[in-house]
Amino acid sequence: MAPDPWLLMYDSTCHIAQEIAEKIQERNRCQRNGENSTKLNVTIRSLLQNLKVKIDQLKDLLLRAISTHQITQLEGDRRQNLVDDLLTRQRQLQASYKNDGTEPDVIRSGLMTGGVKRGVANPWLLEETEETSGLGFDEIRQQQQRIIQEQDAGLDALSSVLSRQKQMGQEIGNELEEQNEIIDDLTNLVANTDDKLRSQTRHVKMVDKKSTSCELDWHAQHSVTHTGRRASFLMALTMKYQIWGWCLSRCNIPLPFKSPHWECWW
């Protein structure tokens, strides 16, 4: 697998910074010895300009890698710290170049602190995490690719879960629509049944009213007929006993009782 271009460019930028520091030290030594340092100043200015361009390229590449998820957030933070250290180192080198060797001890201590030594390609590797410590460019790239694949797998699983939840939501919505239709049908059926029940109740009341009226008429008619028959029977019975009494009186047979109603006949 090919090395990471960003790490290669970063390593190259570190070499340029190291070379600038060496050229500044050489220029200061020439100035202290009274030698001509014009050529060194031109070289230092060119190297400083190249360092600035390299740092800008590193920032652009890092921003693109983070935005396209080519590296993890942890690796992006680590690389951003490396870029910040390079910017600090660039400012120190620029200040050292402008001092013209007046404060060589301060310049040397400012440039060489932080583990920047001759022959060290990447002095900031000492600040790496335990996960990437001791790994090469290819191994770090493989680790990053593996982490990205794991993240992609997690996102795919999350997408699958969200898809199932969306499908469940749609099914629940369809079921609710069907239940609403059933409820509407039941509501209409109950309303129709209620109307029919009211109509039948009115009909029953009318029939009951008519039945009560007919029953009263029948009882009245039956009562009149019964009274008439009873009166006729009593009249016939009275006439029978009157005739019987009249016959007994004609035969001079004393009556066992005397009725004022019978005396009127004789």
Side-chain angles (χ1 to χ4, degrees), residues 4-261:
D4 192 331
W6 191 93
L7 295 176
L8 292 177
M9 183 177 292
Y10 170 74
D11 197 33
S12 175
T13 306
C14 290
H15 283 295
I16 294 175
Q18 181 67 27
E19 185 178 358
I20 293 173
E22 293 174 355
K23 294 295 183 183
I24 290 176
Q25 292 178 10
E26 185 179 354
R27 184 204 65 176
N28 293 339
R29 186 172 58 253
C30 291
Q31 289 178 352
R32 287 194 299 268
N33 296 331
E35 300 176 0
N36 187 5
S37 60
T38 304
K39 186 176 180 180
L40 289 173
N41 286 331
V42 173
T43 304
I44 292 171
R45 284 197 300 268
S46 177
L47 291 174
L48 285 172
Q49 185 65 27
N50 190 15
L51 178 63
K52 183 178 181 302
V53 173
K54 290 287 187 181
I55 292 176
D56 292 338
Q57 291 178 355
L58 286 174
K59 290 192 294 185
D60 293 339
L61 290 176
L62 179 59
L63 181 61
R64 188 179 301 111
I66 293 175
S67 61
T68 57
H69 303 287
Q70 296 179 5
I71 59 176
T72 62
Q73 185 63 38
L74 180 62
E75 178 63 18
D77 294 338
R78 189 183 74 85
R79 293 187 181 186
Q80 184 62 49
N81 292 332
L82 297 178
V83 173
D84 293 339
D85 291 337
L86 278 176
L87 289 172
T88 302
R89 182 167 172 75
Q90 179 194 10
R91 288 191 292 268
Q92 291 176 349
L93 292 171
Q94 190 72 29
S96 300
Y97 169 71
K98 292 180 180 181
N99 283 332
D100 294 332
T102 56
E103 298 179 358
D105 294 336
V106 177
I107 297 171
R108 185 182 301 108
S109 61
L111 293 175
M112 302 306 293
T113 54
V116 182
K117 295 185 176 64
R118 191 188 305 271
V120 179
N122 191 350
W124 287 276
L125 287 177
L126 298 175
E127 300 180 359
E128 292 185 9
T129 61
E130 296 181 357
E131 296 179 355
T132 59
S133 179
L135 299 180
F137 293 153
D138 294 340
E139 294 174 340
I140 293 176
R141 185 178 181 86
Q142 291 176 0
Q143 185 182 27
Q144 292 174 356
Q145 292 295 333
R146 184 172 63 254
I147 294 174
I148 292 174
Q149 290 176 359
E150 292 176 357
Q151 292 177 348
D152 292 340
L155 291 175
D156 292 339
L158 179 61
S159 176
S160 178
V161 172
L162 292 177
S163 299
R164 288 197 299 270
Q165 290 181 349
K166 179 180 178 181
Q167 183 179 0
M168 291 175 60
Q170 292 176 350
E171 293 178 355
I172 291 174
N174 296 334
E175 184 68 21
L176 288 176
E177 290 180 358
E178 294 179 359
Q179 295 295 331
N180 288 332
E181 293 178 357
I182 294 174
I183 291 174
D184 292 338
D185 294 340
L186 289 176
T187 302
N188 296 331
L189 181 61
V190 169
N192 295 333
T193 305
D194 185 66
D195 293 339
K196 292 181 180 180
L197 183 60
R198 292 177 184 273
S199 177
Q200 293 298 327
T201 301
R202 290 194 298 269
H203 182 69
V204 169
K205 287 182 178 179
M206 293 177 60
V207 172
D208 182 68
K209 185 176 181 181
K210 290 182 180 180
S211 176
T212 302
S213 177
C214 292
E215 183 177 359
L216 291 176
D217 294 341
W218 181 84
H219 280 293
Q221 183 178 2
H222 181 72
S223 176
V224 171
T225 304
H226 181 72
T227 303
R229 291 179 181 178
R230 183 178 179 183
S232 300
F233 174 75
L234 290 176
M235 186 178 293
L237 183 62
T238 302
M239 291 180 64
K240 180 179 179 181
Y241 277 101
Q242 286 179 352
I243 294 173
W244 181 63
W246 181 78
C247 294
L248 291 178
S249 63
R250 288 297 180 182
C251 296
N252 295 322
I253 299 175
L255 296 174
F257 55 88
K258 187 176 181 180
S259 173
H261 299 287

